Amino acid sequence: MAEPRAATIDGKLAEEFAVPSHAEEAREEMAAFAGRHGAMGRRVVLITSGGTKVPLESRTVRFLDNFSSGRRGASSAEYFIESGYAVIFLHRHRSLYPYTRTYSHVNLLDTLQLQGEGGSSSSGQVVVNQQALPNIAKVLKRYQEVKEAGLLLPIEFSTLSEYLHLLKAAAQALSAIGSKAMFYLAAAVSDFYIPAPEMPEHKIQSSNGPLQISMKMVPKILSPLVKDWAPQAFVISFKLETDHSILLDKARRALDTYRHQAVVANVLDTRRGYVVVVTPETQAELILTDEDVKNEVEIEEKIVSNLTAAHGQFITQQLG
Amino acid sequence: MAEPRAATIDGKLAEEFAVPSHAEEAREEMAAFAGRHGAMGRRVVLITSGGTKVPLESRTVRFLDNFSSGRRGASSAEYFIESGYAVIFLHRHRSLYPYTRTYSHVNLLDTLQLQGEGGSSSSGQVVVNQQALPNIAKVLKRYQEVKEAGLLLPIEFSTLSEYLHLLKAAAQALSAIGSKAMFYLAAAVSDFYIPAPEMPEHKIQSSNGPLQISMKMVPKILSPLVKDWAPQAFVISFKLETDHSILLDKARRALDTYRHQAVVANVLDTRRGYVVVVTPETQAELILTDEDVKNEVEIEEKIVSNLTAAHGQFITQQLG
């Protein structure tokens, strides 16, 4: 039953979505990373993060995009590492990145100072003003430890095509470690696209009058991922809606359709303080209290704590 | 003749494009900036830079965007300042910024080092590795001088609505200094939009099938800008095409239609090494030679040099 479904999507991927030039290299890196950590008994999570770009022209001037800073993916990556996971961070180019994420809004040059101004400035040191980058020494130390330990593998995408091909490559790379792999699919992936063969080559001319865009629905890659590419893995998808009333229903329907392990459901306006983790049997509301906010607790800490516990149970069940 | 045209676009702006919350504050800042520098006899250039975001939903999850890193605007700002101009930098949030632009691709934490590792790291200094940020001491020094001298006023936009309202505010602010004002409209502005009253409130549901988007043409704001808002200013628009064969024809047609002073015409693939500055009487090809590339000369230096000379002549003619 699974064969034709995967074959269909594989065919679509090959025909209608251009393969990124770094797909093969990324696949090898991810396989080596999963193998190395798997051999040490460490769990590995693939986090997807940020929005996807959907070009409207093949020499792209215009594109459709999804609102996403990548904050949830970037902060979750840190909490997964603190929980003992190794992280493959499949993220949109220039979206927020673990550890640097808290400094993304500052202008680098506003945070630096020249030291030894007397003589030639180029011989002096350039020093960080630690008021302008709070906690920088602590964050830098942790970043360097994580890098040293090889616990974070960053892979970049920009377009929907790149995302889809790289996610498939990641799933195949992680299938080698079975139930020790988690997929944490937090990226904001476009539901619509224009197939490569139907795309105009040149910039759409405004002199031709108002614009009519007709877009096809993106194939649901969660289906072959769960059924064929990484059938033993623990898979979490995300649902973001602006309308609260349809949220939980959509989350339950996704679980029914794709048969994966959990959906993290959230509403645009409240997403930083409230999510619901929905599984086939359970439904857990995670909430930031006023106390949490005062203590700078982030909701991603609670999400990751909930899911790593569930992943532990899942692994035990699979072995049992 | 001019009255109804401006009135029409003013009406459209008010009805179909939401006014950004910072419009009034930005208008006052720009007027004060232009007044201060104008009083000192300094020319002022308004640079627009980066692409505009066009929301498809009012609680925005999806939007249409234009490819633009903001590189041309950011580097041009530096050359205008070196040429004695004061610069209002009206740019897309997170697009490239003058002086920091060359460091935008690096991860901050990869460029820093902890000093005095022995004891508690948080008591030590955090120092820049100057190999990782070439010329940082020199660039930082120049950035601080420019900031100190108050020569650069940054104003941010994200959406098309914000861009349009802020450009109008800028034009009105700069009209006070007459021909000493230059408009250097390098931003990649969407030609299409969905009027606010026609926008769906909630996230478009993919379960409703393929997506049909119908977009109206954006009003040509260059027309009231040249005719009504800043009629004495020196105005330069940009044309970016992917098809070389239609480029110069489109540039000439823009000059005929809007009656402004110059069009900088360029083709997507070659835009960093070749542009044509088109005026009603002249056509100047600006090219980076191999020698230029070796010496790290940027095409924006040549563009700015060409246009500041033309602006000088324009000012003289207006006075004569």
Side-chain angles (χ1 to χ4, degrees):
Chain A
M1 284 298 284
E3 208 58 42
R5 184 180 289 268
T8 309
I9 292 192
D10 280 347
K12 257 204 166 57
L13 271 181
E15 275 167 40
E16 303 190 348
F17 298 92
V19 181
S21 57
H22 61 307
E24 203 41 56
E25 189 191 337
R27 181 199 316 277
E28 284 167 21
E29 280 183 306
M30 292 189 285
F33 184 87
R36 187 167 68 247
H37 289 290
M40 285 156 47
R42 193 176 273 130
R43 301 186 203 161
V44 180
V45 59
L46 177 96
I47 298 177
T48 67
S49 186
T52 59
K53 200 165 143 168
V54 177
L56 302 187
E57 301 131 340
S58 59
R59 302 201 200 182
T60 306
V61 174
R62 299 190 180 92
F63 56 93
L64 194 78
D65 209 334
N66 274 57
F67 163 81
S68 172
S69 66
R71 177 189 305 267
R72 178 147 287 162
S75 64
S76 299
E78 294 176 23
Y79 294 113
F80 274 113
I81 289 172
E82 298 313 311
S83 307
Y85 283 68
V87 174
I88 300 177
F89 189 60
L90 180 58
H91 66 290
R92 167 73 175 270
H93 180 61
R94 288 182 188 282
S95 65
L96 290 184
Y97 194 82
Y99 306 104
T100 49
R101 65 187 168 102
T102 43
Y103 309 119
S104 68
H105 59 290
V106 295
N107 179 333
L108 172 70
L109 296 177
D110 285 327
T111 70
L112 302 180
Q113 290 165 331
L114 288 165
Q115 237 174 29
E117 302 119 79
S120 151
S121 66
S122 56
S123 67
Q125 276 198 325
V126 179
V127 176
V128 169
N129 170 5
Q130 297 187 38
Q131 250 86 57
L133 296 178
N135 295 320
I136 183 67
K138 196 176 133 212
V139 172
L140 177 58
K141 192 154 176 282
R142 187 65 189 134
Y143 174 78
Q144 289 175 341
E145 288 165 358
V146 167
K147 205 171 161 181
E148 188 82 6
L151 291 171
L152 178 62
L153 175 65
I155 306 279
E156 290 194 352
F157 64 85
S158 286
T159 64
L160 172 67
S161 293
E162 288 169 357
Y163 171 83
L164 293 174
H165 283 288
L166 291 169
L167 179 60
K168 181 181 170 187
Q172 293 172 329
L174 283 175
S175 68
I177 62 165
S179 63
K180 280 205 160 55
M182 186 196 287
F183 289 81
Y184 184 85
L185 305 173
V189 182
S190 179
D191 293 311
F192 306 105
Y193 75 112
I194 299 176
E198 292 172 26
M199 218 179 284
E201 180 185 358
H202 286 296
K203 186 179 175 186
I204 300 163
Q205 291 299 316
S206 62
S207 48
N208 301 343
L211 182 64
Q212 297 289 339
I213 307 174
S214 181
M215 302 182 86
K216 283 176 69 172
M217 285 176 61
V218 173
K220 298 295 184 189
I221 202 162
L222 198 50
S223 184
L225 190 150
V226 172
K227 284 200 167 58
D228 306 298
W229 298 335
Q232 294 177 283
F234 188 74
V235 178
I236 301 128
S237 69
F238 283 68
K239 261 287 162 232
L240 174 72
E241 294 293 337
T242 59
D243 183 354
H244 191 275
S245 66
I246 62 173
L247 184 66
L248 289 180
D249 183 48
K250 293 204 69 174
R252 292 243 158 260
R253 255 193 287 159
L255 285 176
D256 284 349
T257 307
Y258 303 111
R259 305 271 156 195
H260 58 308
Q261 282 68 43
V263 174
V264 177
N266 57 144
V267 173
L268 187 63
D269 294 339
T270 57
R271 69 194 185 285
R272 292 205 199 151
Y274 176 81
V275 308
V276 188
V277 180
V278 185
T279 75
E281 300 83 25
T282 66
Q283 188 163 310
E285 288 193 319
L286 307 181
I287 301 169
L288 279 194
T289 64
D290 293 348
E291 187 72 11
D292 288 334
V293 173
K294 218 175 64 193
N295 296 327
E296 301 189 342
V297 174
E298 295 178 306
I299 190 113
E300 288 77 16
E301 184 175 351
K302 300 190 181 216
I303 300 173
V304 169
S305 164
N306 178 297
L307 292 173
T308 53
H311 189 199
Q313 288 175 1
F314 176 82
I315 293 172
T316 312
Q317 284 164 7
Q318 302 290 307
L319 296 175
Chain B
M1 284 298 284
E3 207 58 41
R5 185 182 287 269
T8 310
I9 291 190
D10 280 346
K12 255 203 166 58
L13 271 181
E15 276 167 41
E16 303 190 348
F17 298 92
V19 182
S21 57
H22 63 306
E24 204 41 56
E25 189 192 336
R27 182 200 315 278
E28 284 166 22
E29 281 183 306
M30 291 189 285
F33 184 87
R36 187 167 70 247
H37 289 291
M40 287 156 46
R42 193 175 274 133
R43 300 186 202 160
V44 180
V45 60
L46 177 96
I47 298 177
T48 68
S49 186
T52 60
K53 203 165 138 165
V54 177
L56 302 188
E57 299 130 341
S58 60
R59 302 201 199 180
T60 306
V61 175
R62 300 193 180 90
F63 56 93
L64 195 77
D65 208 334
N66 274 56
F67 163 81
S68 173
S69 66
R71 177 189 304 268
R72 178 148 288 162
S75 64
S76 298
E78 295 176 23
Y79 293 112
F80 274 113
I81 289 172
E82 298 313 312
S83 308
Y85 281 69
V87 174
I88 300 177
F89 189 60
L90 178 58
H91 66 289
R92 166 73 176 270
H93 180 61
R94 287 178 190 282
S95 65
L96 291 183
Y97 194 82
Y99 307 105
T100 49
R101 66 186 167 103
T102 42
Y103 309 119
S104 68
H105 60 290
V106 295
N107 179 334
L108 172 69
L109 296 177
D110 285 327
T111 70
L112 302 180
Q113 291 166 332
L114 289 164
Q115 240 175 25
E117 301 120 80
S120 150
S121 66
S122 56
S123 68
Q125 277 197 325
V126 179
V127 176
V128 168
N129 169 7
Q130 297 189 38
Q131 249 85 59
L133 296 178
N135 295 319
I136 183 68
K138 196 174 134 214
V139 172
L140 178 58
K141 192 155 178 282
R142 187 65 190 133
Y143 173 77
Q144 290 176 340
E145 288 165 357
V146 167
K147 205 172 162 182
E148 188 83 7
L151 291 170
L152 177 62
L153 176 65
I155 306 280
E156 289 194 353
F157 64 86
S158 286
T159 64
L160 173 66
S161 292
E162 290 169 356
Y163 171 84
L164 292 173
H165 284 287
L166 291 170
L167 179 60
K168 181 181 170 187
Q172 293 171 331
L174 284 175
S175 68
I177 61 164
S179 63
K180 279 204 161 55
M182 186 197 284
F183 288 80
Y184 184 85
L185 305 173
V189 183
S190 179
D191 293 310
F192 306 104
Y193 76 111
I194 299 176
E198 292 173 28
M199 221 180 279
E201 180 185 0
H202 286 296
K203 185 180 175 186
I204 300 163
Q205 291 298 317
S206 62
S207 47
N208 300 343
L211 182 64
Q212 297 287 339
I213 308 175
S214 179
M215 304 183 84
K216 282 176 68 172
M217 285 176 62
V218 172
K220 297 296 184 189
I221 201 162
L222 198 50
S223 183
L225 189 150
V226 171
K227 285 199 166 61
D228 307 297
W229 298 336
Q232 295 178 283
F234 188 74
V235 178
I236 300 126
S237 70
F238 282 70
K239 261 285 163 239
L240 175 72
E241 294 294 338
T242 59
D243 183 353
H244 191 276
S245 66
I246 63 173
L247 184 65
L248 289 180
D249 183 49
K250 293 204 69 175
R252 292 243 156 261
R253 256 192 286 159
L255 285 176
D256 284 348
T257 307
Y258 304 110
R259 306 269 156 199
H260 58 307
Q261 282 66 45
V263 174
V264 177
N266 56 143
V267 172
L268 187 63
D269 294 340
T270 57
R271 70 196 184 284
R272 291 205 200 151
Y274 177 82
V275 309
V276 188
V277 180
V278 184
T279 75
E281 301 83 25
T282 65
Q283 187 164 309
E285 288 192 318
L286 306 181
I287 301 168
L288 280 194
T289 63
D290 292 348
E291 186 73 9
D292 288 333
V293 174
K294 217 174 64 193
N295 295 328
E296 299 187 347
V297 174
E298 294 178 306
I299 190 111
E300 288 78 18
E301 183 175 352
K302 299 189 182 218
I303 299 173
V304 169
S305 164
N306 177 297
L307 292 172
T308 53
H311 188 198
Q313 288 175 3
F314 176 81
I315 293 172
T316 312
Q317 284 163 9
Q318 302 290 305
L319 298 175

